Amino acid sequence: MAEDFKETLNLPKTDFPMKANLPELEPKMLERWAEQNIYEKLMQRKGKGETFILHDGPPYANGDIHVGHALNKVLKDLVCRYNWMKGNYSPFVPGWDCHGQPIEQQVEKQLGEKRKQITQAEFRELCRKYAETYIERQRNQFIRLGVLGTWGKPYLTMDKKYEATNVKTFKELYQKGLVYRGKKPIYWCYKDKTALAEAEIEYYDKTSPSIKVLFKLIEGPQKLNLNNVYAVIWTTTPWTLPANVALAFHPDASYGVYEKDEKRLIIAEELASQTIGEEARKIASFKGAEFEGSKFEHPLFPGRNSVGVLADFVDLGTGTGIVHIAPGHGEDDYHLGVKYNLPMPVPVDDEGFFTDEAGEFSGMHINNGNLAIIERLKEIGMLLESDSITHSYPHCWRCKNPVIFRATEQWFISVSSDGLRKWALDAIEKVNWLPEWSIRRISSMVEQRPDWCISRQRSWGVPIPIIYCADCQTVQGEEEVFNTIEKRFEEYGADSWFKNDVQFFLPKNHKCSSCGSNRFEKEDDIFDVWFESGISHFAVLRNREELQWPADIYLEGSDQHRGWFQSSLLTSVGVTMEAPYKTVLTHGFIVDEEGRKMSKSLGNVVDPLDVVERLGADVLRLWVVSSDYSSDIAVSEQILQRTVDVYRRIRNTIRFMLGNLYDFEPDKHFVTFEKQTSIDRFILMKFKQLYKQVLEAYENYRFHNVVHGIHNFMVVELSSFYLDVLKDRLYADAPDSQERRSTQSAIYGMLKPILKLLAPIIPFTSEQAYDYLPGKKEESIHLELFDDLDWIKIDEDHLERWEMLLKVRKDYLKVYEMAKSSSVLKTMMEAEVFIVPSEGLRDTLINSKQDLYFIFTSRNVNIINEPVSDLPVSQELESGWYGLRKSNAEKCNRCWNYSSDVKEGICLRCKEVLSS
RNA sequence: GGGCCUGUAGCUCAGUAGGUUAGAGCGCACCCCUGAUAAGGGUGAGGUCCGUGGUUCGACUCCACGCAGGCCCA
């Protein structure tokens, strides 16, 4: 029985647990950071390091966070943490989008019938409470993810000062002439006399009239004889005919002129037979595009013309291929109307009655109007066909009655090509858009977008700060009026608009500049929430002293090209001509393993809170960071499990490194680079190369390269090579030997920077490991700074020599595997190795004699000139000829190496160690 | 239907001014160790580089058309 020398070895020791148990560790760590005021300490760098502002796009204060929120906030946190470790001053002020229709709708649902009994002000108070509830929830959820920031003082779009900034920005846009009032159709419930948002619409089947109507052609394509020619339109809303101003043709479709009952009818060719039968004779054919600018007589109003226009949305599947256009009563119609500069009559009042504009139908409700109009058309012979149809039709969610589209007065921001649009496009050019295709997307959207309708007929929002003269309806656009409103909002919030008389918002003794009246009324509409969030750069970056305008970076999902990136750009450019950001970084959307979006029906939804509870925030973060976020990001249980594997491997490698530093005090034992052993200098050089690559990846926001780089290094370079082959030295050398201290110095010299590189990614684990790290430390790893590893000097020759040795090792392992599988030996230490190096390697090997142990993990290596024949295993490989057999040498019972100097079961090295 | 984007091993990612048998890590299989041990080491098997057509002496890389998916519109 050999003596047990285990106690005499320097085996690794550490209390850093192998099992992370993140769900328990993380909340404790969060408490500790809060007590230590880590974030506040980072903020004390103001005025010292460079300032770098990431401006948070506000999530909507409704519901719990989903995995998309988690992705977004983790990436932001990463950017901030990277900046902190660079020594920058980089406050993160999170925000919430608090106003808007979804909250309003939730509160209305909760209220039910009570809604009608409470005042606007009371209703708004309930909405505020609702928003506050979810802000609190989401705040805690974000904090739990390890996102550090000014959580105690976030920005809210329902803060008074923020609300007042809407007024200020609106004023500035107004004064530049960028704001105007115009008409636009919206969903309207004539029972409730109210505008409806899209989310308040429910679709049910409804039976409507289905009629085909003739419009007499009075001016058309040249080669068409105008005599007795009629365009046939199909509609299910006859009541909109009085508002008709145009007929739309599909530009690419073919239209035939058919003879039928002494009339000649224009119909899309592919639809002709279903309307007038197969037998109708076609006498001419035209492309839709040829009807652009044609004139038709309005069947109900002789003398009034409708113009021929072109539209891609014209449906060639049903109807006649000619669409009746009433810009005041349809979304498509409206856009077409804007494009062709058509008039926009709205001969229907807010209760659904025709106005005088509807001529003979005036005073009639549109429901009766349908019948009356059909009758009238029949009388005058302009009705080709009358039927009814059952189709899906929008209804009011409250009263369940059908709704209509009806143009009403709205407020717009003008996005004209010689104004805001041009300024915005110029500003876009100066911004750094990442990834680079992003600029194409934002540019083409800005190029194509229509004027911005900023008014909404809702309650929960910031009122549009307009005061009208009650007598002459003139807008009171004087600077002092806006300033008064702004001041009131700043002091009392936008709620005051709903609580106070109009005089409260006017300068003393204000009189209408137009008619001198002193009677006024407030605008009822509120701002589009995109306007509100679009001014956050003013409301937050300019108004908070810890921040500055413009932001260095905005970081949001790619949907924000239409949303926040754009609304922020327009408000900013409108006031300053400049973009509110220097860089815009976009990420993709979360999808499942098959690349499909998350949905309840597919059952592939991943809940970040569940992941945090089961696996920990660090694992969730590691998943985020190891994914390439520039396009869609996949998540699934398998993907998360692989992430757990990566996490474990990183953790264990850290643990092993810590374990081998148990008796290492950097101050006392650190061996300077020049005095370190060859292999230590080699690994440090490799590490420095990696370190630089990783910092570069960080700098360029290629975070997934950071993770892959570090992980790869830890697995390939450290775990399977360096740390493995150095066990002999670490365990068996004298604790204080120069060699052992050299290797500990290398391990320490790598571990600390590794933890720093990992700190932004897995802040909990890095902090925990940092606790166990010896040497001088900050109170938290998150207060550390990256360094440049100047003390490590790269020597290309040295690197090259070791790379060659590693090639030898790689080849030798194949031979060793053969020996193992043919049971020649079990461990590398048992082998006696014979190598005939290939040309160019011989000198390297001979000059590396003292390092051969690290290549072969054996003390018995023979560099020979010719292959020998009597070995159990041999193989010719690229780097040379290899042969091996089980060594005849005796095994040292302490270090388990086989060597010729073993006496009484112990080798010379071990004997010396024991005797010292 | 339109604009923008994506498609390399089971998973996460490399790879191209177009050039020999497409790389890594994880996972998987088999083996070793038991002094990193609910760890560690070794070897190995996995890919019609979404498809089709084209340009080219040669295409994962360029072009066209598809297919699948994503975001935003209609």
Side-chain angles (χ1 to χ4, degrees):
Chain A
M1 185 69 199
E3 190 182 346
D4 187 7
F5 290 99
K6 190 168 173 178
E7 294 307 312
T8 73
L9 293 170
N10 320 305
L11 293 177
K13 273 183 239 168
T14 178
D15 291 327
F16 180 72
M18 177 176 280
K19 193 168 183 317
N21 203 359
L22 293 173
E24 266 187 46
L25 170 78
E26 289 169 349
K28 285 182 201 153
M29 200 65 94
L30 286 168
E31 274 176 40
R32 170 175 144 190
W33 288 333
E35 278 163 26
Q36 291 175 314
N37 290 317
I38 298 301
Y39 179 73
E40 289 69 22
K41 282 173 183 153
L42 290 163
M43 290 310 102
Q44 284 162 12
R45 293 196 189 140
K46 185 166 167 58
K48 292 174 194 155
E50 277 177 48
T51 298
F52 185 91
I53 305 292
L54 184 155
H55 181 40
D56 188 35
Y60 195 65
N62 186 14
D64 292 318
I65 65 164
H66 58 246
V67 68
H69 289 118
L71 164 76
N72 178 256
K73 279 290 200 288
V74 167
L75 289 174
K76 285 171 177 165
D77 191 48
L78 207 59
V79 171
C80 289
R81 287 175 181 275
Y82 168 65
N83 273 283
W84 296 335
M85 298 206 93
K86 282 208 300 188
N88 288 345
Y89 169 70
S90 206
F92 180 65
V93 178
W96 272 278
D97 195 1
C98 307
H99 290 129
Q101 196 279 138
I103 288 178
E104 209 171 313
Q105 197 174 3
Q106 289 298 320
V107 173
E108 281 191 338
K109 267 188 190 159
Q110 287 172 8
L111 281 172
E113 284 304 305
K114 278 187 244 160
R115 170 69 178 102
K116 288 180 189 134
Q117 295 154 22
I118 63 174
T119 64
Q120 283 287 71
E122 286 167 333
F123 179 69
R124 285 172 58 91
E125 194 47 39
L126 290 171
C127 290
R128 178 176 294 272
K129 284 264 146 51
Y130 183 96
E132 281 167 354
T133 305
Y134 280 99
I135 288 166
E136 195 50 31
R137 288 179 76 126
Q138 294 190 357
R139 182 209 324 254
N140 291 330
Q141 292 162 358
F142 286 136
I143 289 173
R144 179 63 187 82
L145 296 178
V147 179
L148 224 45
T150 314
W151 294 108
K153 203 186 160 203
Y155 77 85
L156 307 181
T157 60
M158 62 183 184
D159 287 341
K160 290 174 184 146
K161 177 83 176 166
Y162 194 113
E163 290 177 332
T165 308
N166 284 284
V167 181
K168 184 172 192 238
T169 309
F170 182 81
K171 172 189 77 183
E172 283 166 351
L173 296 170
Y174 185 91
Q175 288 174 333
K176 289 200 171 179
L178 294 169
V179 176
Y180 72 93
R181 205 164 182 232
K183 275 188 177 174
K184 183 175 190 278
I186 53 169
Y187 285 113
W188 185 267
C189 176
Y190 51 75
K191 278 274 188 258
D192 294 339
K193 284 197 285 178
T194 180
L196 293 172
E198 200 138 340
E200 294 174 310
I201 299 297
E202 293 173 352
Y203 284 82
Y204 306 119
D205 276 353
K206 171 181 186 293
T207 302
S208 303
S210 167
I211 60 171
K212 287 174 180 161
V213 182
L214 306 184
F215 277 67
K216 187 170 195 312
L217 181 70
I218 54 179
E219 201 182 309
Q222 282 210 331
K223 50 194 172 151
L224 178 55
N225 181 341
L226 294 177
N227 198 16
N228 219 17
V229 178
Y230 299 83
V232 184
I233 66 97
W234 174 62
T235 181
T236 58
T237 50
W239 65 268
T240 60
L241 284 169
N244 172 282
V245 296
L247 302 186
F249 295 76
H250 195 291
D252 305 323
S254 292
Y255 291 84
V257 181
Y258 299 87
E259 285 197 327
K260 165 97 176 171
D261 302 337
E262 338 228 309
K263 281 186 173 128
R264 305 207 232 134
L265 307 180
I266 306 167
I267 301 186
E269 289 181 1
E270 38 190 302
L271 290 160
S273 64
Q274 26 174 296
T275 297
I276 49 177
E278 301 286 353
E279 71 279 3
R281 194 164 70 89
K282 183 163 81 176
I283 55 172
S285 181
F286 295 89
K287 266 268 173 286
E290 296 180 74
F291 290 101
E292 190 173 32
S294 294
K295 294 214 171 72
F296 304 87
E297 187 177 58
H298 196 297
L300 299 171
F301 306 107
R304 197 172 114 188
N305 290 344
S306 293
V307 62
V309 295
L310 305 179
D312 287 331
F313 63 76
V314 172
D315 180 14
L316 297 165
T318 44
T320 62
I322 306 173
V323 175
H324 126 71
I325 299 295
H329 292 293
E331 175 100 61
D332 286 337
D333 308 48
Y334 166 73
H335 290 296
L336 207 55
V338 169
K339 184 174 168 192
Y340 281 95
N341 203 14
L342 302 171
M344 199 192 308
V346 184
V348 177
D349 71 13
D350 58 2
E351 292 183 81
F353 289 94
F354 280 118
T355 64
D356 291 347
E357 235 183 318
E360 61 178 295
F361 306 103
S362 172
M364 198 179 276
H365 195 271
I366 57 169
N367 289 334
N368 304 323
N370 266 342
L371 292 173
I373 286 166
I374 293 170
E375 275 311 305
R376 186 83 186 98
L377 289 168
K378 197 190 275 178
E379 269 171 50
I380 59 177
M382 300 301 261
L383 186 70
L384 181 68
E385 192 182 306
S386 178
D387 202 348
S388 65
I389 184 176
T390 302
H391 58 161
S392 172
Y393 190 87
H395 291 70
C396 172
W397 72 302
R398 215 173 283 132
C399 69
K400 313 297 178 192
N401 282 296
V403 300
I404 59 172
F405 251 105
R406 179 172 167 269
T408 58
E409 293 285 338
Q410 304 289 342
W411 286 96
F412 292 87
I413 290 176
S414 164
V415 187
S416 61
S417 296
D418 56 350
L420 205 47
R421 193 186 315 278
K422 183 181 185 312
W423 307 341
L425 290 170
D426 288 347
I428 283 170
E429 293 292 328
K430 294 179 194 153
V431 173
N432 178 28
W433 298 87
L434 297 172
E436 56 181 271
W437 50 258
S438 170
I439 191 174
R440 282 201 290 282
R441 187 155 177 187
I442 188 82
S443 301
S444 75
M445 279 178 172
V446 169
E447 270 161 25
Q448 288 165 22
R449 72 157 298 145
D451 286 353
W452 183 4
C453 178
I454 55 168
S455 52
R456 295 292 183 273
Q457 294 69 50
R458 315 283 335 168
S459 307
W460 180 227
V462 175
I464 294 183
I466 287 286
I467 291 172
Y468 303 95
C469 169
D471 291 312
C472 71
Q473 292 299 309
T474 300
V475 168
Q476 306 298 300
E478 293 93 327
E479 168 122 31
E480 312 88 80
V481 176
F482 285 117
N483 290 347
T484 309
I485 300 172
E486 187 189 342
K487 221 183 290 167
R488 295 306 193 199
F489 278 21
E490 201 168 322
E491 190 166 354
Y492 304 103
D495 287 330
S496 58
W497 192 259
F498 301 88
K499 291 176 179 164
N500 294 276
D501 185 78
V502 64
Q503 289 297 340
F504 186 65
F505 302 97
L506 287 167
K508 267 187 193 156
N509 304 319
H510 181 75
K511 290 212 163 34
C512 173
S513 53
S514 179
C515 74
S517 167
N518 58 2
R519 301 190 314 119
F520 301 98
E521 45 197 40
K522 291 171 287 185
E523 169 64 64
D524 283 334
D525 290 359
I526 62 168
F527 279 112
D528 172 17
V529 288
W530 285 111
F531 183 85
E532 283 189 45
S533 61
I535 62 148
S536 65
H537 53 94
F538 289 142
V540 181
L541 300 183
R542 279 221 171 132
N543 287 351
R544 289 179 70 141
E545 62 173 338
E546 74 266 40
L547 301 174
Q548 66 182 33
W549 190 100
D552 289 284
I553 193 167
Y554 274 35
L555 199 179
E556 306 295 333
S558 60
D559 56 334
Q560 298 305 333
H561 285 95
R562 175 157 296 269
W564 195 54
F565 295 155
Q566 202 178 134
S567 60
S568 300
L569 179 71
L570 293 177
T571 58
S572 178
V573 157
V575 174
T576 70
M577 305 286 276
E578 311 246 339
Y581 34 64
K582 294 180 188 162
T583 293
V584 173
L585 183 57
T586 357
H587 61 250
F589 273 67
I590 308 278
V591 294
D592 70 11
E593 224 168 45
E594 261 88 55
R596 285 174 314 203
K597 70 168 115 188
M598 311 233 121
S599 75
K600 280 177 204 150
S601 58
L602 283 172
N604 56 2
V605 177
V606 170
D607 174 7
L609 304 172
D610 169 63
V611 175
V612 167
E613 218 173 279
R614 276 168 41 227
L615 309 174
D618 269 357
V619 170
L620 183 76
R621 296 176 66 108
L622 190 59
W623 157 70
V624 165
V625 183
S626 54
S627 306
D628 179 358
Y629 60 80
S630 65
S631 57
D632 294 334
I633 302 120
V635 68
S636 69
E637 200 51 40
Q638 181 188 197
I639 291 169
L640 288 170
Q641 274 313 318
R642 289 298 78 79
T643 310
V644 170
D645 292 334
V646 171
Y647 174 84
R648 259 206 302 263
R649 192 53 187 275
I650 290 173
R651 185 179 180 90
N652 274 324
T653 308
I654 291 170
R655 180 168 183 269
F656 185 66
M657 292 170 89
L658 285 172
N660 281 296
L661 296 175
Y662 73 93
D663 66 338
F664 183 74
E665 291 172 51
D667 282 351
K668 253 192 245 171
H669 304 128
F670 193 84
V671 179
T672 56
F673 182 74
E674 287 70 20
K675 289 187 178 162
Q676 287 185 339
T677 66
S678 177
I679 189 169
D680 298 329
R681 277 181 285 130
F682 167 65
I683 200 69
L684 285 167
M685 290 177 201
K686 291 284 280 186
F687 176 68
K688 186 172 181 177
Q689 290 178 334
L690 168 90
Y691 188 80
K692 282 177 154 177
Q693 281 168 24
V694 167
L695 285 184
E696 199 190 320
Y698 259 124
E699 187 64 27
N700 295 304
Y701 306 107
R702 294 194 319 261
F703 302 131
H704 63 286
N705 293 342
V706 170
V707 174
H708 288 291
I710 296 174
H711 181 235
N712 225 55
F713 185 81
M714 289 182 103
V715 171
V716 179
E717 253 69 44
L718 292 182
S719 202
S720 78
F721 170 61
Y722 181 73
L723 296 174
D724 197 47
V725 303
L726 280 157
K727 283 176 190 169
D728 177 67
R729 176 184 284 178
L730 288 164
Y731 296 177
D733 271 10
D736 207 31
S737 78
Q738 174 83 0
E739 285 81 5
R740 183 161 178 274
R741 293 303 188 202
S742 164
T743 293
Q744 284 181 313
S745 300
I747 290 173
Y748 175 76
M750 291 187 287
L751 182 55
K752 194 170 177 183
I754 285 174
L755 292 179
K756 288 197 253 177
L757 290 177
L758 289 171
I761 302 166
I762 44 173
F764 299 98
T765 304
S766 327
E767 183 78 302
Q768 192 189 18
Y770 186 73
D771 285 345
Y772 294 91
L773 192 73
K776 263 199 209 113
K777 285 189 290 193
E778 304 288 334
E779 69 174 313
S780 162
I781 189 167
H782 303 298
L783 298 174
E784 285 273 2
L785 299 178
F786 291 131
D787 51 78
D788 46 18
L789 301 185
D790 256 355
W791 58 280
I792 300 171
K793 315 283 185 216
I794 302 237
D795 173 352
E796 294 297 340
D797 292 341
H798 193 77
L799 279 166
E800 200 187 334
R801 179 166 74 85
W802 273 94
E803 296 294 356
M804 284 163 85
L805 294 175
L806 284 178
K807 226 174 271 172
V808 170
R809 177 174 153 88
K810 197 173 179 223
D811 279 351
Y812 171 66
L813 282 170
K814 292 195 177 107
V815 182
Y816 163 66
E817 184 69 19
M818 288 164 62
K820 209 170 53 158
S821 60
S822 53
S823 302
V824 173
L825 44 69
K826 289 188 167 175
T827 69
M828 290 177 80
M829 289 192 279
E830 296 170 65
E832 179 171 16
V833 185
F834 297 87
I835 171 169
V836 183
S838 60
E839 274 319 298
L841 265 176
R842 176 172 294 272
D843 288 349
T844 304
L845 280 177
I846 288 171
N847 292 334
S848 305
K849 267 203 162 137
Q850 70 286 1
D851 294 322
L852 290 185
Y853 180 82
F854 304 121
I855 302 308
F856 298 99
T857 322
S858 166
R859 286 192 181 165
N860 304 293
V861 180
N862 307 291
I863 300 167
I864 55 178
N865 294 325
E866 294 294 331
V868 276
S869 56
D870 58 342
L871 294 174
V873 176
S874 65
Q875 179 81 35
E876 177 82 41
L877 290 164
E878 203 190 318
S879 58
W881 176 93
Y882 294 85
L884 72 75
R885 67 180 176 212
K886 191 169 156 76
S887 173
N888 299 321
E890 204 176 324
K891 179 182 177 183
C892 169
N893 287 321
R894 182 169 179 273
C895 69
W896 297 348
N897 282 297
Y898 289 70
S899 55
S900 50
D901 58 7
V902 173
K903 279 180 194 149
E904 295 161 9
I906 201 161
C907 73
L908 189 59
R909 186 265 313 261
C910 286
K911 191 179 177 191
E912 280 170 5
V913 170
L914 287 175
S915 63
S916 67

